[in-house]
């Protein structure tokens, strides 16, 4: 009798009460309930998830820590390179003249022998050092005024400070400039 009721019942009703009747099964008209889909996670699954995520996060943080520690060294090299590049640009912006711009024959000189020479340089000497030798990069009365003035110039970089007057970590670095004149072939 129960079997017949279940056979005639609508599928929605059967699903709602969670039992089904199988035709031809008169001994046990009510079969086992369908397996319900699991909702949520168990405590063991949650603990395993926390452990796995913690290990992965610890590994990522360790890599980031090592990266941050080693990233300061390239920063110092980049700062030193930026200082050297700015000094090179300063030299390149200076006039490149055959004689010192203060030389009496500077405007009319065609070869080095045409230069009158100043101080330590004799007439016709090839300029590769500051001329006159009282010129410096830091003097407002006798500043460098020619590319050759930068010959044998050395600038300690370690004295450079950041905006808070803290050394930027370049102690031991210096920028040296050597000037060599070469004749053009032809």
């Amino acid at each position: 009798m129960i079997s017949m009721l279940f056979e005639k019942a609508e599928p929605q009703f059967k699903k709602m009460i969670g039992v089904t009747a199988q035709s031809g099964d008169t001994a046990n008209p009510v079969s086992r309930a369908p397996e319900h889909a699991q909702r949520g996670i168990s405590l063991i699954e949650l603990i395993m998830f926390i452990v796995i995520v913690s290990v992965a996060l610890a590994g990522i943080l360790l890599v980031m820590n090592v990266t941050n520690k080693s990233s300061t060294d390239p920063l110092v090299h980049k700062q030193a390179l930026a200082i050297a590049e700015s000094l090179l640009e300063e030299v390149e912006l200076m006039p490149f003249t055959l004689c010192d711009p203060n030389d009496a024959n500077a405007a009319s000189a065609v070869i080095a022998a045409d230069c009158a020479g100043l101080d330590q340089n004799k007439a016709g000497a090839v300029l590769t050092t500051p001329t006159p030798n009282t010129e410096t990069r830091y003097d407002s009365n006798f500043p460098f005024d020619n590319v050759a003035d930068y010959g044998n110039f050395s600038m300690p970089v370690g004295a450079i400070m950041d905006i808070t007057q803290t050394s930027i970590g370049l102690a031991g670095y210096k920028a040296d400039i050597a000037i060599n004149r070469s004749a053009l072939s032809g």
Side-chain angles (χ1 to χ4, degrees):
M1 173 97 167
I2 294 176
S3 175
M4 290 174 51
L5 288 175
F6 278 112
E7 285 179 18
K8 293 182 180 179
E10 294 189 20
Q12 291 86 5
F13 176 74
K14 293 178 188 178
K15 192 174 187 181
M16 186 174 68
I17 62 169
V19 293
T20 59
Q22 297 176 355
S23 59
D25 187 6
T26 56
N28 187 7
V30 180
S31 68
R32 61 184 172 91
E35 295 181 24
H36 293 286
Q38 179 183 356
R39 295 182 186 181
I41 57 174
S42 70
L43 182 60
I44 294 173
E45 290 171 334
L46 181 62
I47 290 172
M48 290 301 294
F49 173 77
I50 291 172
V51 167
I52 291 170
V53 169
S54 299
V55 169
L57 188 59
I60 290 170
L61 291 176
L62 181 66
V63 168
M64 288 177 59
N65 189 26
V66 170
T67 304
N68 283 339
K69 281 184 181 178
S70 63
S71 70
T72 57
D73 190 39
L75 180 63
V76 171
H77 290 293
K78 283 184 176 184
Q79 288 172 334
L81 184 62
I83 291 168
E85 286 175 345
S86 69
L87 186 59
L88 178 62
E89 185 175 354
E90 177 183 327
V91 172
E92 290 174 338
L93 290 173
M94 286 290 164
F96 185 78
T97 58
L98 190 59
C99 304
D100 188 86
N102 297 330
D103 193 306
N105 298 338
S108 60
V110 178
I111 59 173
D114 295 340
C115 298
L118 297 171
D119 285 358
Q120 80 277 16
N121 293 323
K122 297 180 183 154
V126 176
L127 299 179
T128 56
T129 58
T131 305
N133 62 3
T134 55
E135 288 183 345
T136 68
R137 181 175 180 258
Y138 309 107
D139 191 353
S140 60
N141 294 326
F142 299 104
F144 285 164
D145 55 2
N146 188 6
V147 171
D149 290 341
Y150 286 89
N152 300 326
F153 176 74
S154 181
M155 181 178 83
V157 178
I160 295 177
M161 305 287 184
D162 67 4
I163 196 166
T164 63
Q165 296 303 315
T166 306
S167 177
I168 59 174
L170 295 174
Y173 286 88
K174 66 180 182 171
D176 294 326
I177 300 176
I179 302 290
N180 296 318
R181 288 192 180 238
S182 300
L184 295 174
S185 58

